[in-house]
Amino acid sequence: MKVFDYLEKVKSEKGAGFLLLIDPDKFEISESEEFFSICNRSGVDAFLIGGSLVKDDFISQIIVEIKKFSEIPVILFPGGLNQVTGEADAILFLSLISGRNPEHLIGKHVLAAPLINRINLETIATGYMLIESGASTTAEYMSGTKPIPYNKTEIAVATALAGQYLGLQMIYLEAGSGAEHTVPDRMVRAVTKTLDIPVIVGGGIRSGEAAQRKVEAGADFVVVGNFFEYKDNWGEIKEFSKVIHNTGKRRNK
Ligand code: 1GP
């Protein structure tokens, strides 16, 4: 089954899905077995792997580790060309549609396409939208783009809709890793009410309650990264997953 079809299935069976983001720069290979066995029994639906600033070429190595201990699909969430690897099951083929930097709209894609074709990696065309979230984020700085202001819901809706009309498969509303404020619930609500394609929401989600609010507002997938970089929080993976799935089921009834 294609990873995109699997995600659609998660959405229809569980109401909403839980995507756990792994930043290769922060991951301790020596802890793989423990971490991935927790994920296996805690209802994580897929792993995203990548980041705006991956200093070492660790991605392939970490994916090999994931595959040793888990059958959960691994989706690349690349911040750059050096993060494209055939070890993954699919790649979010991201176009930064909130910005006006041609490199992130189409430039890098042209460079990546022949490689993706050669390694026969499934692409999931995703409209990536940075949303203002307090202090400037790494994603904003690295992409050289301005995020959509947090109170400009109508711009977010129009941008996401344009992405859908262009044929993108998903929209990712991003507050940025470690964001002070998450994507506003009213923006999530307005975008998901208007769109037919699945919407991913991430950035700054550090509690089950915040994850719950995003799903109540209509998010189809919730991404959590930073919070689970701390071992002390691993025990909460199950709680996040439960709250995301239960709220999704309740919402879709
Ligand atoms: C960042 O949306 C993801 O790209 C996840 O954000 O690391 O803040 O959970 P956090």
Side-chain angles (χ1 to χ4, degrees), residues 21 77 128 172-179 201-206 223-227 229:
L21 172 66
F77 172 54
Y128 193 49
Y172 190 145
L173 298 177
E174 170 73 277
S177 191
V201 179
I205 297 173
R206 300 178 191 85
V223 182
V224 182
N226 215 264
F227 186 73
E229 280 161 16

Side-chain angles (χ1 to χ4, degrees), residues 130-149:
L130 298 181
I131 312 298
E132 184 190 13
S133 60
S136 167
T137 62
T138 309
E140 266 168 60
Y141 183 79
M142 295 302 286
S143 66
T145 68
K146 268 194 193 159
I148 294 178

Side-chain angles (χ1 to χ4, degrees), residues 25 110 171:
D25 285 333
V110 174
I171 293 292

Side-chain angles (χ1 to χ4, degrees), residues 13-34:
E13 287 177 2
K14 301 184 178 176
F18 175 27
L19 309 179
L20 196 148
L21 172 66
I22 296 170
D23 179 341
D25 285 333
K26 314 261 176 65
F27 191 77
E28 278 298 333
I29 291 265
S30 58
E31 318 230 73
S32 311
E33 183 165 7
E34 187 183 350

Side-chain angles (χ1 to χ4, degrees), residues 67 72 76-77 85 104 134 220 246:
K67 297 290 177 193
I72 298 172
L76 294 174
F77 172 54
T85 162
H104 293 283
D220 298 295
N246 291 344

Side-chain angles (χ1 to χ4, degrees), residues 24-25 53-62 82-83:
D25 285 333
L53 188 69
V54 175
K55 297 185 284 292
D56 302 302
D57 186 17
F58 257 165
I59 291 207
S60 301
Q61 224 181 312
I62 296 174
N82 64 333
Q83 297 176 33

